[in-house]
Structures are given as structure tokens and as C-alpha cells.
Amino acid sequence: MSASGQQDTGAGAMASAGPGSSAVLPKSSKAVVDKKLTIVIKLGTSSICDEVTHFPLLSTLSLIVETILKLKAMGHRVVLVTSGAIGVGLRRMDLHSKPKELAKVQAIAAVGQGRLMSLYDDLFDKFNQPVAQILLTKNDLADRTQYLNARNTIEALLEMKVVPIVNENDTISVSEIRFGDNDTLSAITAGMIHADYLFLMTDVDCLYTDNPRTNLDAKPVLVVDDIAALKEHVSVASAGSSLGTGGMVTKLIAAELATAAGVTTIITRGSDPHRIFDIIAQPIQHTRSASPKQESLLDASEDQTQSTKSSSAFTKGLPLNTRFLAKDNPMVDRKWWILHGLHAAGTIYIDRGAYLAITNASQKSSLFSAGIVDCKGTFVAQQSVRVVYKPKEIGQDGKAQDEIEVGKGLVNYASHEIRRIMGCHSSQIVDRLGYADAECVIHRENLTRTKLTTEAK
Ligand SMILES: N[C@@H](CCC(=O)OP(=O)(O)O)C(=O)O
């Protein structure tokens, strides 16, 4: 058995009475980690249902439940984000595959969600552990008050020692208000509650440089500092399981969201959840090397170059997993929510002057009507829009330059108003509209930049 109690499957001491406190204690919890962590564990459909029969994978689910109870007994706070409603619903309705029609899939999720919760409730109840169901849609979180309410409810549940079990509210989620995959939902949940860790539990050990099922030369990716650089090196086109909607692509998106909010994100195998103990026993951050690109692509079996040695030591002896390092300076919550919690209702195109002013790292100006050249979509004030710079200049190759996504912001004016004031100075807004609700179209505090430059205006 490792120092982290990896092989300790539940024979340890029982804690004192009280809701959720009669959990199985790991034998060596003290040795693992002293800091009390907030941990979000996401379990994909492939870890919950058999891909062919759709019967629940009871052994995996039991191990997950035991792991959560041990983590709680060690003082950590744990939220479970679970898929599986559709898979469990298909089994209940004796259907072999997911129907094509959205309404039918939603109906099947409605059948399965209750049974899925009942399954978890039964397993946790064996240890006197209360659980709570939280069903979210993207739309719920698009409203700042509801977003904060969702966070407060999860915090209150954790305070009451309840295990919150989150899934997407599939029955009412459609098109653009849909997360679609629970990888993204789990990243939003982890960011929302300022978690220390997000575990994306799946049916492979970690992220590989290519599909390990078809390419025997695929190498494990162990530590990732720069996700953009990583994408240039790995092929993540795997589509995921036949029941789930996520795959490696959505896991990378989730890792990008979560690490931007300061959450260390781990991809590892769902059928072996005990490895979580070894993984959290490692320090959350480690010294970044001078070469993040090289460091991102580690093969444990290869000779390590000088620049990857720190990571080699860092991952030595650990069960296979991919660790995405949390950003050192995570975005403040409100800005992170604007960028990731809201779907963009339209796009505002800006000129070069506005681009340089709002992306200038030291200036970070608000967006004024004078710098707007176009507005696409229909939206109202306080909705979120994309801000895009469309260069007029021709590039060195003689071609028109690509659009540059600058960020996302909450507008002070509706789309029809912006079309009337774009290009004009703020002092002219009253003349154009008959009123002026705000001096700027997007205030700097409501503008989250994905791009920052040091270029002078
Ligand atoms: N919310 C859906 C699952 C969404 C989904 O497919 O997630 P995943 O299995 O993580 O790709 C369900 O409960 O069946």
C-alpha cells in the first residue's frame, strides 16, 4: 500500500456519528496532505454505464463513493459532477442506442436522472452520507444572481457535510443554452466554487500525444503548463464514448476554463479512483521550466532533457495522469464568469485604435462607440458579446489578415442602439439616441480580455 492509502478500500476505522460523518477513514490520512482541499470529481458516462449493455458499472461507482467518503473523512470538500442520466435511462427503457430526436433524448435523460440519483443515494446511504441533486443549465448560470445562488447553495451543502451531485438539466437544455458535455459543466462548477482540483475521470489513464488505441507510439502527456502550445503537439480528435458527448477535445476546453480560474485540472482513469490520493499528495504547483512546450509533452519512458527533469521528478511514482497547472494569476471571479459562464449573444467589431487601447496591458481601456465599426446579432443591454478586431490592413503575404478575438464583455447598449452610435464620439450619443445611458459601450470592469498587448497606440 502506498503512503496515501491507495490500496485501502474501506476496512479502516469508522468516524463518529452525524450526517455523513460515519465515513470510512483511510489508514494513513495524515500522511497524505494537510491542506483541506475543495475537489470536484467529474465522472463521464463511460465510467458509469457499460457501453453495450448500459448496465451501471457498480464496482466503479462503489469505488468512487468510497473514495469520496475517504476524502471527506480527511477533511476535504468534494463535489461530484456526474453524467449517466441518458445511459441509465436507455437501460430502463430497454433501448439499445441514443435516439436522434432531441426531445426523445431529453425524455430518456428524465427517466434516467431519477434512477441515477437513487443509485448514488443507495451507495452513499450505506455510509450514512446524505447527497443532494443539483441540475444546472447554462442559462441558469448566465444570470449573475443565479450563478451566485448556485454557488451559495453548493457552499451551504458542503458546510452541511452533504455531497452535492451535479448534472446538466438535460430535460430543458437546448442548443445554445446547453453545456452539452459534462467536462465543461464540471469546469464551470469547479471555477464557481474556487475548487483546488478538478478531476476529469475517464476511460483512459491520461491524455496522449495521439490516440493510444490506434497509435502504439502515442506518448502520455504528464504535465501541461501551456494548453495552447500543447494543442500544436497532440491529436485529440477522439470522439468519446457512444453515449457521452465529451472526448479529449472537451477535456482540453474544460482544463482551459478551470486552470484560468486557478483550478489544477487532472485527467485520469475513472475505474481507479484511489489514484486521487496519490495525486493530491503532490504539491498543487511546481516550478515552471523555461520551456513550457517541451515540458508539456513528457514521456515517462524517454530520456529526459535538462528542461524536463523537474517535471520528471514531479511525476515520478505517480499513477498515470495528466496534470494541467492552474494559472498563477487566476482571473477574478466576475471576469471569469463573463468569459466562460455566458454565451455570447452577438459580436462587436472594433477598429485598430480601440483594439490597441483595450488590449494594452497597462491601459486596459473601456470600449467606446467611436471605436466600433460593426455589430452583429440581436441583444439587449447587459448581455454578453464577443469583441473582435477585424484588421483592414493587408498582411505581408498580400492576404487580408484574420480576425482577432479580443475578449467578451457586458454591453451598456442594445444591438439596435449600438448600430446607431457606432463610429461616433460619446458626446454625440444623446443626439443620436435622445438619451445616453452610459459614456462607454462596454466598461473596462465588464470587459474580459483574452488578448493583451504591449503595442503602443
Ligand atoms: N448529461 C448527460 C451526459 C452528458 C455527457 O455526455 O457527458 P460525458 O459522458 O461526460 O461526455 C447525462 O447525464 O447522460
Side-chain angles (χ1 to χ4, degrees):
M1 191 179 83
S2 73
S4 65
Q6 193 182 356
Q7 300 302 316
D8 181 2
T9 54
M14 302 297 281
S16 60
S21 64
S22 58
V24 180
L25 281 171
K27 285 175 186 160
S28 55
S29 59
K30 184 76 191 84
V32 178
V33 59
D34 285 332
K35 184 175 185 276
K36 302 306 171 211
L37 303 166
T38 299
I39 300 170
V40 174
I41 299 176
K42 183 260 167 175
L43 211 53
T45 308
S46 61
S47 303
I48 296 169
C49 295
D50 182 274
E51 201 168 351
V52 179
T53 66
H54 305 154
F55 275 118
L57 299 171
L58 284 178
S59 53
T60 302
L61 292 174
S62 302
L63 284 176
I64 284 282
V65 167
E66 282 179 8
T67 302
I68 292 174
L69 290 164
K70 286 181 188 176
L71 289 168
K72 279 178 57 54
M74 292 157 74
H76 303 308
R77 301 161 8 123
V78 187
V79 173
L80 177 63
V81 177
T82 183
S83 306
I86 296 170
V88 171
L90 286 174
R91 178 64 262 159
R92 181 68 188 93
M93 301 306 292
D94 217 4
L95 294 169
H96 298 296
S97 55
K98 204 156 76 171
K100 300 268 174 291
E101 227 177 292
L102 179 64
K104 285 204 175 132
V105 176
Q106 291 179 311
I108 286 162
V111 171
Q113 179 61 29
R115 291 178 74 79
L116 182 66
M117 275 312 291
S118 144
L119 197 56
Y120 280 120
D121 197 28
D122 280 352
L123 291 170
F124 278 106
D125 192 49
K126 299 278 182 282
F127 302 93
N128 192 29
Q129 172 60 56
V131 295
Q133 169 181 265
I134 299 195
L135 296 179
L136 295 172
T137 63
K138 201 165 190 190
N139 228 23
D140 297 331
L141 303 181
D143 179 278
R144 182 76 183 160
T145 312
Q146 287 188 199
Y147 171 86
L148 294 175
N149 278 345
R151 173 199 293 169
N152 290 343
T153 304
I154 295 178
E155 290 288 347
L157 288 166
L158 292 172
E159 197 70 23
M160 292 159 71
K161 311 270 184 249
V162 175
V163 175
I165 301 184
V166 181
N167 195 358
E168 178 155 21
N169 196 348
D170 290 309
T171 310
I172 58 166
S173 295
V174 285
S175 58
E176 80 256 24
I177 63 154
R178 223 176 128 68
F179 288 107
D181 65 90
N182 278 2
D183 295 322
T184 311
L185 172 64
S186 66
I188 297 281
T189 305
M192 180 165 75
I193 62 169
H194 304 138
D196 298 286
Y197 276 102
L198 166 63
F199 279 88
L200 298 169
M201 310 299 282
T202 186
D203 55 359
V204 288
D205 287 310
C206 61
L207 176 67
Y208 287 84
T209 51
D210 199 351
N211 188 341
R213 295 187 184 109
T214 52
N215 179 358
L216 294 179
D217 291 330
K219 294 178 173 43
V221 177
L222 303 183
V223 181
V224 181
D225 189 4
D226 180 345
I227 297 176
L230 172 86
K231 282 184 190 159
E232 290 169 20
H233 291 77
V234 300
S235 160
V236 288
S238 87
S241 68
S242 61
L243 299 180
T245 42
M248 275 304 161
V249 176
T250 56
K251 285 181 181 51
L252 285 195
I253 294 170
E256 229 160 356
L257 298 190
T259 53
V263 183
T264 300
T265 303
I266 309 283
I267 294 177
T268 196
R269 188 178 283 281
S271 58
D272 185 13
H274 287 101
R275 52 178 70 184
I276 290 176
F277 297 110
D278 281 339
I279 293 168
I280 62 169
Q282 298 298 307
I284 283 193
Q285 291 288 23
H286 79 118
T287 311
R288 290 170 160 81
S289 78
S291 172
K293 277 192 186 179
Q294 288 181 59
E295 187 182 21
S296 299
L297 297 169
L298 292 180
D299 174 6
S301 64
E302 254 181 10
D303 281 349
Q304 302 294 322
T305 64
Q306 196 58 36
S307 67
T308 62
K309 272 186 178 153
S310 61
S311 291
S312 172
F314 175 72
T315 53
K316 204 172 165 197
L318 273 182
L320 265 185
N321 72 91
T322 303
R323 173 178 292 235
F324 297 87
L325 301 179
K327 292 277 170 269
D328 283 336
N329 301 309
M331 265 182 213
V332 293
D333 182 75
R334 184 179 161 74
K335 296 218 164 178
W336 182 80
W337 168 75
I338 290 173
L339 197 58
H340 301 303
L342 297 172
H343 89 91
T347 305
I348 288 178
Y349 292 92
I350 59 173
D351 66 14
R352 181 169 170 78
Y355 167 68
L356 293 178
I358 66 179
T359 59
N360 186 292
S362 56
Q363 193 178 353
K364 292 187 185 167
S365 167
S366 298
L367 175 62
F368 295 90
S369 48
I372 299 177
V373 293
D374 201 359
C375 170
K376 295 257 161 66
T378 305
F379 49 85
V380 295
Q382 294 311 310
Q383 273 199 286
S384 163
V385 299
R386 289 165 67 228
V387 178
V388 171
Y389 169 43
K390 197 160 46 174
K392 275 199 249 148
E393 304 80 13
I394 300 298
Q396 285 174 343
D397 55 1
K399 291 186 186 151
Q401 292 182 53
D402 290 341
E403 291 181 357
I404 301 173
E405 178 105 23
V406 173
K408 239 163 130 184
L410 300 183
V411 283
N412 289 326
Y413 291 95
S415 48
H416 66 274
E417 293 169 320
I418 292 173
R419 285 190 191 100
R420 287 166 64 191
I421 62 175
M422 62 192 193
C424 79
H425 192 269
S426 305
S427 60
Q428 296 172 280
I429 294 179
V430 176
D431 296 339
R432 298 266 176 121
L433 299 180
Y435 53 86
D437 284 345
E439 198 197 350
C440 58
V441 172
I442 301 179
H443 190 272
R444 55 194 292 168
E445 288 305 317
N446 289 330
L447 181 57
T448 304
R449 296 146 180 89
T450 43
K451 186 160 182 64
L452 281 179
T453 64
T454 47
E455 219 177 316
K457 197 174 166 185

